[in-house]
Every structure is written in structure tokens, then in C-alpha cells.
Amino acid sequence: KVKRSIPSSMNCKEATENAPAGQSDENAERGNWSSKTDYLLSMVGYAVGLGNVWRFPYLTYQNGGGAFLIPYTIMLALAGLPLFFLECSLGQFASLGPVSVWRILPILQGVGITMVIITVLVTVYYNVIIAYALYYLFASFQSVLPWSDCFAWADENCSKTPVVSDCNTTLPNGIIIHTNYSYVTSNNLTCLNGSLTYKQVQLPSEQYWNKVALRRSSGLDETGEIVWYLALCLLLSWLIVGAALFKGIKSSGKVVYFTALFPYVVLVILLVRGATLEGARNGIEYYIGTQSNFTKLVEAEVWKDAATQIFFSLSVAWGGLVALSSYNKFHNNCYSDAIVVCLVNCLTSVFAGFAIFSVLGHMAFLADRPVSEVVDSGFDLAFVVYPSALSKLPVAPLWSFLFFFMLLLLGLDSQFASIETVTTTIQDIYPKVMKKMRVPVTLGLCMLLFFLGLVCVTQAGIYWVNLVDHFCAGWGILFAAVLEIIGISWIYGGNRFIQDTEMMIGQKSWWFWLWWRACWFFITPVLLTVILCWSLVTFSPPKYGSVEYPAWGSAVGWCMIVFCIMWIPIVAIVKIVKAQGNLWQRIVSCCRPTANWGPSLECHRGERYSHMVDPHKEKDQEIPTVDGFVHKLE
């Protein structure tokens, strides 16, 4: 072979400076972020999502208050940050998305496919949640919030306050009897203290959520009709996503200046308002605990909750981090980016808890009930409990509008990154098509996912949303994450990956890498494996509230997750079959990088990748044989 001369890093800089007017991208073929701020805000928007608001505060309250921050911080250092840094470095080094980046280890390319498929399925139902937020946002433009009282749509079980069903009372002759409450009130009698029995009632916001917003059916078996106003909200949410992404990162990078930052403004407003309410202190004390329960730290469930929350909160192993980082310039400091984004994400979770629990404390105060009886997580917190609390405030429509606007923005910027993950995957496979037809491809993808999501806005839609979330957003991602970190650390080689990273961020001391080596080689894969096994052992059939799913519903869920992960063995077998040599040589060659693995631009390849095949000219490179690989190293 004739060895090519390798331009210096200055040549890349000069190429950027001498680029045509209006184009300052280092990678003209693929494009780069317009600025570092665009990238960081996109990453923050992707990592900070609905779970930071409706799940973390509840977990903190449930697992010992402020004491929960200890396992949460430890799990951030042991599981979240190492995987986050690894994925950011991986995407930035090769300038490739979550599927094509597996040129690094062809036998595990199915892991990237699994990530993208799960992202697609989750994206379908995640936009339905955004549609719920849009519906409530529009419903807030009324002088009286429609869920503030039991109006015409309510039944006899609806009540704003607890209802006494029966009690003990003293008759005029002094005899104590047990009777119904209507008899007591009609005869001007008084219930004896401690003898009250309360009727099972539902808040107006709960009945509004089920009867009006969802028009919820009795179960998954009863599909019912499409709820037309939710379908329109779903269409609107997809149009917003498509409009923000029609130019890829060049347009979404500007939109996130608002969608990623304004939720913090709303959180501050809600916190200030909540802190001024009666009972707010009780709510915050329930959240962090005036005396944190450190005995909870000996319970394995607490550590599992901390690790799971960190893992899913940071959005690792979904493919989005690789996709977003792939548009960075080669020498961007991805290490500092990972630290900043992870800290912002975790601090946001803690801060959101104060805003949520201050208002819930006021709600408990008005109802004369302990906070533990009004707090909840997930859909019930976002669309039942918190709206009910806000409806009791002066100028309730304003606070309701702000809350649901915040949920809308939190959902949208996470959705932007998820769709960008899919379009990046398409771009890596068909770069020329995406360069000419990015707008129709992006809009076409959004419309396709809109139609797939219509089943989630039927009267049984909430059951489908819960089903996909229960199966696809759980251990399927954990399984992909375990294979990802083991493959890169143990098969490709952790030390070799560190050398790749140092090509981007500069050489670091041996002590700097000591912690990352310990995490990548041992701590993080072991921890993720334990969480994966735990989640499988403790797996329970899905249900929504008290509604049990039919057997065929669980079967559909298992089929979805099997469809997602089956590509891992299928792609591995296909790669081995296509390789050359005997079986062992084929397996070994599939565990080596392809001939076109390395930095995208020639000026960044240096001596280590001087023999790399140009990835732009030869897209489908054969996996080199073992002998060929050794020859290249020599």
C-alpha cells in the first residue's frame, strides 16, 4: 500500500475557516452543531424529562427523604456518569449514529438496532403524553378549571372532600348506636369522635382524567373509538416536532434555547408560589424529611431505585447521546460536557421536588390529611393530584397553564432528541438521500409515527401507553446497556478506547483514567447486570391502577420486547456468516473494528488510523480477516 500523507489538525481548522460563506462546519459532509451551547442545551433537554418531575420526588419521599440522595449520588458516579461519558465519546469520535457507530464492534451492531427500535416505540407513546399535556393546557384557558369541581360529567362517587358513610351517635335517651350518616344529619345528631367511616370517593380531577380527558374504557379488551380531541392534540405535537427538526440540528439547536430553559423559569415560579402557601413546609418536610431516615440505606430496594432512576433519567443506552454527540467537532471536550449535563440533570430532579411537594403540602393542609395520602407519581401526579392542588389556588388557570406548559416543553425537547436519533441513523445509511430530502423524510417519519400512535388515543389508549412503557422502556434498554459497555471495555478494549478519547480531548494522566477504567471494566457492568437480573426476577404483569391486563396483552408486550432484542443475535450471526475463514476466525474478525472505523475526517486520524478506509467513499466495508487486521497494526 502507498501510505497517505496525514494533514495536521491545523488543516481541519483552515478548511473550516476557508469554507463557503455561511458554512463553518468542520464536517461539511455531515454537519456540526452551530455552537457548543446548542449541543449542551439539546443534551440537557434530552436528559431532563418528565421523570425528573413526576418520579424522582416521589422516590425521594418514599426512600428516606434526604437520605436517598446518598445512594442517588453514588449511583450517578458508578452507573450514570461512566456510561454517559462513554456514549458521548463514542459518537463524537466516529461522527456516527447509534447503529453505524458499531463499526467499532460489528458482532454487536444489533445492539444499536435494538436501541433505535426501542426509541421508536417509546417515541410513539411519549408524544401521546405530550398530547395529554396539550389537552390540559388548552383546558386551562377557562375562568373555572373544568376539573375543579364535580360538574355534569361526574357521578355519585365524586367529591372534593371526604364523605362520611356511617358513624356512632348518641340518641336523646343516651343510647349509642351505629347508623348511616344521612340519619345523623337529618336528625341533627353528632357523630362520636373516632367512629367515623368514610365513603370511598374520587377527586373531581380523577374523574375528569378518566371520564373526560381519556374517556377511558374498562380495559385493553375494550378499544372503543378514537378520542378525536386527543388525536388532534397528538397531530399538533407531531407537527411541532417536525417543524423543529426540519433542518436537523441546525433548527432544533435553536428551538432548545426556549424548550430547555423555560421549564426552569416555570419551576422557579411554581416553587416561589408554593412556598408561600399554608402547609408548604409540611410538604417539603415530607419530601426531604426533617430527620432523614438513614435506616432505609440498608434496604436493597432503595439502592435499586436509585440506580434505576439515574440510569433512565440520564437517557443512557437509548442511542440519543451517541446521535447528538456525533455532530460535535472532533476536539470538543466531551468529558466536561458529560459532567455538566449529568449534574444539571440531577440537580433539576432535586429542585423539582421542592416545587412539587410545596404545593402538595398545601393540598394536604386544605384537606386536613397527611401528605402521604395525597402524594403520588407518574400519570396520577401529573394529571390528577397536582392539577387538583392547583385548582384550589387563587388565579388557578394561570398556575395550571404554567404547569402543563412546563410538562409540554420537558416532553418536547426529549422528543426532539429521540427523533434525531432515528433520522441520524437514516442519514448514516443514506447520506445522499438525507442531504437532498431531509425535510420530506423528517416530516414523513413524524406522520408515520403519528398514525402508529392513534391506537394510544383510543378509549383504551392509556392501557397501550402503559403496556409499551412497562415492557420496552424497562429491561430491554438495560440489556442493551450491559452489552454495550462489556463490548467496548472488554472486546474492543477499554485502554484502546481511552486512546481514542485522548485523540479528542488530549492526553490525561494515568490517575485521571483510574476511576474510569475501574467503572468501565468492572463496577458499571456488574452494577447494570445486577439491576437487570433484579428487574427480571421482580418482574410483574402490567396493570393500570386496579385494572388487570388480559393474558393476550402481556403476550403482545413480550412480543414487542422480543422484536426489539432479537436483532442482537440475528445481526451477530449474519456478520459471522459473511466473514472469511473458519468459524473461529470469523468470530474473531467480527470482534475487530471494520476497515472504515475511526475519525470521520482524514485530518483527525493521525498515525493510529492512517490506513483507515475513507468512510465517505466506501460505506459497506468488509470486515477484515485476523491476518489483515494484524497487518494493518504493523
Side-chain angles (χ1 to χ4, degrees), residues 200 202 206 209-210 214 216-220 376-381 384 462-467 469-470 540-549:
Q200 189 71 29
Q202 295 176 318
E206 182 179 358
W209 165 244
N210 290 313
L214 298 179
R216 180 159 70 96
S217 65
S218 59
L220 198 63
D376 216 323
S377 67
F379 293 114
D380 286 343
L381 172 66
V384 176
I462 191 66
Y463 302 114
W464 286 105
V465 169
N466 190 58
L467 182 71
D469 179 71
H470 190 82
S540 58
K543 66 177 184 177
Y544 181 76
S546 59
V547 179
E548 302 283 346
Y549 277 62

Side-chain angles (χ1 to χ4, degrees), residues 398-416:
L398 171 63
W399 306 115
S400 179
F401 169 82
L402 287 175
F403 176 71
F404 288 110
F405 191 52
M406 178 187 69
L407 290 187
L408 172 65
L409 297 181
L410 287 174
L412 281 176
D413 46 21
S414 295
Q415 195 76 337
F416 294 159

Side-chain angles (χ1 to χ4, degrees), residues 419-438:
I419 297 300
E420 191 61 51
T421 302
V422 182
T423 55
T424 297
T425 301
I426 298 173
Q427 176 173 310
D428 290 338
I429 301 173
Y430 305 107
K432 293 181 179 178
V433 173
M434 286 298 287
K435 198 167 186 178
K436 297 178 181 178
M437 302 182 63
R438 171 172 283 276

Side-chain angles (χ1 to χ4, degrees), residues 110-240:
V111 172
I113 297 175
T114 294
M115 291 178 179
V116 173
I117 293 176
I118 292 179
T119 294
V120 169
L121 291 175
V122 171
T123 296
V124 170
Y125 85 77
Y126 202 81
N127 231 30
V128 174
I129 300 175
I130 297 174
Y132 295 157
L134 273 171
Y135 171 77
Y136 271 80
L137 182 72
F138 294 139
S140 300
F141 287 102
Q142 302 181 48
S143 57
V144 177
L145 292 176
W147 56 84
S148 61
D149 210 337
C150 300
F151 296 111
W153 40 262
D155 59 28
E156 66 278 2
N157 293 320
C158 179
S159 176
K160 295 171 61 176
T161 57
V163 176
V164 177
S165 59
D166 49 53
C167 65
N168 295 334
T169 187
T170 304
L171 297 177
N173 58 10
I175 299 175
I176 298 176
I177 65 169
H178 186 79
T179 184
N180 60 64
Y181 191 65
S182 61
Y183 174 83
V184 173
T185 54
S186 61
N187 289 279
N188 294 323
L189 301 176
T190 303
C191 290
L192 299 178
N193 291 334
S195 67
L196 301 179
T197 301
Y198 290 95
K199 178 183 177 182
Q200 189 71 29
V201 296
Q202 295 176 318
L203 291 171
S205 59
E206 182 179 358
Q207 291 211 348
Y208 183 84
W209 165 244
N210 290 313
K211 292 177 174 292
V212 181
L214 298 179
R215 292 173 56 192
R216 180 159 70 96
S217 65
S218 59
L220 198 63
D221 292 313
E222 186 185 348
T223 302
E225 60 187 18
I226 292 177
V227 182
W228 65 269
Y229 43 83
L230 288 182
L232 289 178
C233 289
L234 180 63
L235 178 61
L236 176 59
S237 64
W238 277 117
L239 290 176
I240 294 173

